[in-house]
Amino acid sequence: MPARCVSVTGAAGQIAYALVFRLAAGELFGTNQPIRLRLIDLPDMLPAVEAVRMEIEDANCPLVEEILVTSDLSIGFQESTLFFLIGSKPRNAGMERRDLLRQNGPIFVTQGKALEQWASQEARVIVVGNPCNTNCLIAASHAPRLPKENFISLMRLDENRARSLLARKAGVPLSSVSPVAIFGNHSSTMVPDFLHATIDHRPVIEVIPDRRWLEEEFFSLVQQRGAAILQKRGKSSAASAAAAALQTAKHLFFPSKEEFSAGIFSLGNPYGIDQNLIFSFPCKWQEGQRQIIRDLELDPFLSTKIRLSERELQEERACVEDFLHAQL
Ligand code: NAD
């Protein structure tokens, strides 16, 4: 079987460290599928990436045919059909979101151009580096040769967080909770849709009949989960982000009945959201195509929150307008 080739940027970082061993073990493509890894980071970080390569070699991963360590995208982006764009600069204390956008935008201009030049047309691109939705928009705008639907920003971690928080509150196992749609931005404005989620096939609101808790505490717990982990661990979430990135890749390569949230192009969306954003919607596979789940009736509370998240993404887009290349 020919090997699958996967590129990972930010390969010296902590999310990549949690991700690449799982890829190497065959968790995504299966335990019969050989894999080649392109591990990419900044030139100064290449010794650390070399160490990751040595550890993969030492971890007894017979599926791994090749590990390439590079900071040169013309090497690292060739042949891959899956790109995890994780590499980005962290937000420093006191830094505004706008500053982060301006700081990381150019990374995704460069990577978008490299995708345009080197990536195969079937390539799927999962943007993890924050602010991931707008970074994804930037990258896609520089790679018009690739289908727009193959650009995704990571929202599955937020969905996983919402599910586990509901399970905990209801005192039920995680498997009792349905997928929880996340609308909007991967930020503190994201909207976890508790209206359509179920616990043991009953509406959440029936099992947790406390609308105030759902609207206020639950919202804030989901939106602030990343910050809470950062505060306790001193580092941002990595293993859970890697797990969610893998799950997202599985959704893209192996259609199933499972519903999932993903940051995707908003073009043609049925919720009246601005048509040129990377926006999180609940998705599912139908008739061989990934589609936005339509027909969810949103009440005034959720609709208002979704509009706020849309506005934030519009502001983010305006802030990086000069980084956006082509009209999408
Ligand atoms: P990290 O600081 O441990 O690693 C980031 C790595 O990216 C570093 O090794 C750095 O050298 C590298 N890098 C920086 N610029 C690069 C470039 N131009 N090309 C290639 N590599 C580059 O960070 P981490 O914890 O692995 O997190 C990575 C990103 O993921 C952050 O932006 C973080 O906010 C984001 N994140 C997103 C989610 C999500 O759900 N979307 C969840 C968690 C973290």
Side-chain angles (χ1 to χ4, degrees), residues 97 130-133 155 158 184-191 222-224 309 312-313 316:
R97 197 169 176 85
N130 277 324
C132 61
N133 293 37
M155 299 298 296
D158 304 305
N185 198 3
H186 173 69
S187 76
S188 59
T189 67
M190 75 182 75
V191 181
V222 178
Q223 291 169 340
Q224 301 301 330
S309 207
E312 181 182 53
L313 278 168
E316 287 190 12

Side-chain angles (χ1 to χ4, degrees), residues 40-87:
I40 300 152
D41 209 299
L42 299 173
D44 286 355
M45 300 308 291
L46 290 187
V49 186
E50 271 295 329
V52 175
R53 181 183 63 73
M54 290 159 73
E55 281 207 71
I56 297 172
E57 286 172 1
D58 297 348
N60 185 26
C61 303
L63 294 173
V64 178
E65 278 191 356
E66 181 194 44
I67 308 168
L68 206 146
V69 171
T70 185
S71 56
D72 181 345
L73 299 185
S74 73
I75 297 170
F77 273 25
Q78 281 204 33
E79 296 178 33
S80 288
T81 49
L82 173 59
F83 291 82
F84 290 100
L85 302 187
I86 303 172

Side-chain angles (χ1 to χ4, degrees), residues 8-17 40-42 44-45 48-49 70-71 73 85-91 100 104 106-108 110-111 127-133 135 153-158 161 186 233 235-238 240-242 244:
V8 179
T9 71
Q14 50 156 5
I15 294 177
Y17 192 70
I40 300 152
D41 209 299
L42 299 173
D44 286 355
M45 300 308 291
V49 186
T70 185
S71 56
L73 299 185
L85 302 187
I86 303 172
S88 51
K89 293 185 198 143
R91 185 175 190 160
L100 188 66
N104 283 337
I107 295 175
F108 292 86
T110 307
Q111 294 182 355
V127 178
V128 179
N130 277 324
C132 61
N133 293 37
N135 287 341
S153 70
L154 182 66
M155 299 298 296
R156 176 71 205 240
L157 177 58
D158 304 305
R161 287 168 171 168
H186 173 69
R233 204 172 96 90
K235 293 179 188 169
S236 59
S237 359
S240 54

